[in-house]
Amino acid sequence: MTTTRLDLPLVIDHEDGGPLSRQLAGQLRTALREGRLLAGERLPSTRALAAGLGVSRTVVTEAYQQLYAEGWLEGRQGSGTVVADIAPCPFPMPGDHDERPPTAGGSAAGRRGSPGGAGVADDGVPRVGMVDLGPGVPWVGGLDSPAWRRAWRAASISDPVVRPEPDARPDPYGLHGLRTALAGYLRRSRGISCTVEELLVTRGATNGFDLLAATVLSPGDRVGVEEPGYRKACNVVRARGAEVVPCPVDEHGLVVDGLPGDLRLVYTTPSHQYPMGGVLPVPRRQALVAWARRTGALIVEDDYDGEFRYDVAPLPAMYGLDPAVVVYLGTTGKMLSPAVGVGWLAADPGLVGALAERRVALSDRTSVVSQEAVRELLEAGDLERHVRRMRAEYAHRRRLVVEALAGIPLRGDTAGLHLVIDLPPGRVAEVVEKAAADGIHVETLDRYYHAPTSTRALSGLVIGYAAARQTELRSACTRLREIIIG
Ligand SMILES: Cc1ncc(COP(=O)(O)O)c(C=O)c1O
């Protein structure tokens, strides 16, 4: 193994104003991407690098943790931190903007349900009165009322300069002002550097996927969907006459080796695999992009809750790896509420043009008032403030759930708004029934499989921690533990 290297030109700019760990991670990421650090090489210890750069050890530890999480680095017994076996990539990586060049001079709803008695509805929606531990919904009680009201009030008032009368023929791409604001948001929060021409405003992630499917799929096309995965993605594929090809996932997310070569699209959730919770490491992201380039398939990156990661900073979106083969889907559904009905899609401008054209043909559009409200929230900084507050709220809830379920094997507890409890197949129905009898709604992992029962590798429950009130959440999880452990 090559010895520790201290000769990298790393320089910390204390005037920069941003987190020093992010700056350091950005510089190291560039060195890794450009192959200046090679697989198996050992990085300096946190103490040595911190001393060399004149920063605290925490700065170095956080930077290393981020790069561990992204799959660039790995820890080896007795060898410290080493560069993972990862291909250098010639194109810029998402997150590279975090770096400063070494020479720079400074630079009430907690419930859902349909009327009826206690019990679980067939559609997985809890009955009124049950504590909702189902996934898929955010904590809408956390919305900041003044900011929310301000945005919607402003959105509904016409203004000859900023907001003239609503256009009788709304722009199929979405409001230019919102797309401009979104380009900034995606750059800051998801490491995506894109132009307005790459953006189309949708009604949400699923609507964006449906529009893509309506534009590029022909009957009989084969579409890869994560198994287990987001059931509505399968509904979209089937509704367009295409064939769903279940593609296995493991604890890191989509398994790229062995993807069939004849897929037209592959739908994936790399920031936080739905529902198992894996975060796709960089080598797999690179392999997936290489696979798409080779086969001519498009990768659909559903970034439905990528803003919510608790152990390290959220991973940059995969879109930046190669916008020619990735279509990125974002939504306000988890950040704010599905009721807002605004999302976005980023893709190659040629494809965005085709989607806009198709959209006109289908009379598919996003409410202009909703678009204006989201633009207001973005421009005032309220959306990002809300996400920061919600990240703290969900991190707290996650801790609470993990504590209440102590001793039970959990998966995917570092990101998102849900986690998975492993249970032997024979116990799932019994636990769900007992929980329902106690007024607790939980979902089974079974619902996320698309292939026949015999191929299901895992069984258990998917626990959402955003819908219920905190006090209900704690007591429901405590009760769930009693039911499971006995
Ligand atoms: C993986 C995934 N994608 C998308 C969505 C929904 O997004 P939207 O409401 O914007 O269609 C969900 C909601 O639970 C989801 O789990």
Side-chain angles (χ1 to χ4, degrees):
M1 177 173 305
T2 316
T3 47
T4 304
R5 294 170 54 131
L6 271 166
D7 56 346
L8 282 174
L10 300 170
V11 174
I12 294 297
D13 175 5
H14 291 269
E15 304 301 313
D16 173 59
L20 299 183
S21 57
R22 212 162 79 176
Q23 221 187 98
L24 178 58
Q27 290 183 29
L28 285 169
R29 194 184 290 109
T30 302
L32 289 155
R33 170 169 61 78
E34 292 174 353
R36 283 184 281 136
L37 282 166
L38 298 175
E41 280 187 332
R42 192 169 63 198
L43 262 71
S45 70
T46 51
R47 186 190 304 277
L49 189 54
L53 294 173
V55 296
S56 77
R57 254 180 103 183
T58 314
V59 168
V60 182
T61 306
E62 283 176 5
Y64 280 9
Q65 269 170 355
Q66 181 67 33
L67 297 170
Y68 267 115
E70 293 176 18
W72 289 108
L73 303 179
E74 58 190 30
R76 284 194 197 149
Q77 197 82 39
S79 305
T81 302
V82 299
V83 178
D85 192 6
I86 188 168
C89 46
F91 39 82
M93 285 291 296
D96 281 357
H97 68 279
D98 293 341
E99 175 190 9
R100 293 291 174 275
T103 49
S107 84
R111 300 264 178 77
R112 337 175 243 171
S114 49
V120 183
D122 287 348
D123 56 2
V125 176
R127 298 292 186 210
V128 167
M130 293 185 89
V131 178
D132 185 359
L133 298 189
V137 285
W139 171 241
V140 287
L143 288 166
D144 171 30
S145 305
W148 182 252
R149 275 200 301 273
R150 207 167 37 241
W152 287 94
R153 195 179 306 116
S156 64
I157 298 169
S158 59
D159 173 313
V161 182
V162 207
R163 203 176 296 105
E165 299 298 324
D167 201 325
R169 288 200 177 79
D171 187 340
Y173 291 84
L175 293 178
H176 195 275
L178 174 57
R179 288 157 68 216
T180 307
L182 281 171
Y185 171 73
L186 291 171
R187 179 174 37 73
R188 289 189 299 278
S189 72
R190 306 301 297 117
I192 291 180
S193 152
C194 68
T195 61
V196 167
E197 287 68 36
E198 289 169 72
L199 286 171
L200 180 104
V201 179
T202 64
R203 287 193 305 282
T206 319
N207 172 240
F209 184 39
D210 188 42
L211 203 53
L212 178 70
T215 308
V216 306
L217 290 183
S218 305
D221 276 351
R222 284 162 48 84
V223 177
V225 179
E226 291 172 338
E227 173 83 332
Y230 184 44
R231 182 189 277 239
K232 289 180 187 167
C234 292
N235 297 344
V236 164
V237 172
R238 293 192 178 117
R240 296 292 167 187
E243 183 189 343
V244 169
V245 180
C247 300
V249 303
D250 63 15
E251 72 273 24
H252 300 297
L254 182 68
V255 177
V256 177
D257 282 351
L259 275 179
D262 62 348
L263 302 181
R264 179 71 189 93
L265 303 174
V266 65
Y267 165 91
T268 180
T269 48
S271 303
H272 184 226
Q273 202 279 326
Y274 192 74
M276 300 310 295
V279 179
L280 204 67
V282 173
R284 284 229 198 145
R285 292 173 184 230
Q286 291 180 336
L288 185 56
V289 166
W291 168 86
R293 287 173 174 165
R294 210 167 48 245
T295 63
L298 280 176
I299 300 162
V300 182
E301 177 181 22
D302 181 353
D303 197 30
Y304 66 108
D305 70 358
E307 288 80 7
F308 298 113
R309 177 129 199 214
Y310 312 115
D311 52 346
V312 292
L315 282 187
M318 221 174 83
Y319 180 71
L321 287 182
D322 189 350
V325 297
V326 182
V327 176
Y328 173 87
L329 303 173
T331 178
T332 52
K334 294 285 196 286
M335 271 190 275
L336 294 170
S337 161
V340 174
V342 173
W344 42 89
L345 177 154
D348 174 81
L351 178 55
V352 169
L355 293 169
E357 222 172 90
R358 186 76 177 130
R359 187 168 217 202
V360 174
L362 295 171
S363 220
D364 180 273
R365 63 179 77 93
T366 310
S367 151
V368 169
V369 180
S370 300
Q371 291 189 59
E372 288 285 12
V374 174
R375 177 166 78 103
E376 289 289 334
L377 289 167
L378 272 168
E379 287 180 352
D382 288 323
L383 191 118
E384 278 155 274
R385 253 190 300 280
H386 176 69
V387 168
R388 279 198 297 277
R389 278 194 297 112
M390 286 298 101
R391 197 178 290 133
E393 164 82 20
Y394 294 139
H396 176 69
R397 283 164 172 256
R398 181 183 63 94
R399 272 196 303 277
L400 196 146
V401 171
V402 171
E403 273 166 31
L405 294 173
I408 295 174
L410 304 175
R411 292 171 191 258
D413 63 349
T414 57
L417 317 183
H418 69 270
L419 45 77
V420 171
I421 295 180
D422 277 335
L423 277 180
R427 289 216 58 206
V428 174
E430 165 222 331
V431 172
V432 171
E433 271 166 35
K434 283 187 178 160
D438 284 350
I440 303 165
H441 166 71
V442 289
E443 265 187 22
T444 66
L445 190 52
D446 236 34
R447 294 173 50 79
Y448 298 84
Y449 278 93
H450 326 302
T453 316
S454 57
T455 60
R456 296 176 187 195
L458 301 161
S459 62
L461 305 175
V462 184
I463 303 291
Y465 44 81
R469 293 172 205 287
Q470 273 193 28
T471 44
E472 292 173 335
L473 183 65
R474 188 195 303 272
S475 54
C477 288
T478 305
R479 177 66 195 125
L480 200 57
R481 180 172 184 273
E482 285 165 7
I483 294 172
I484 293 171
I485 291 188

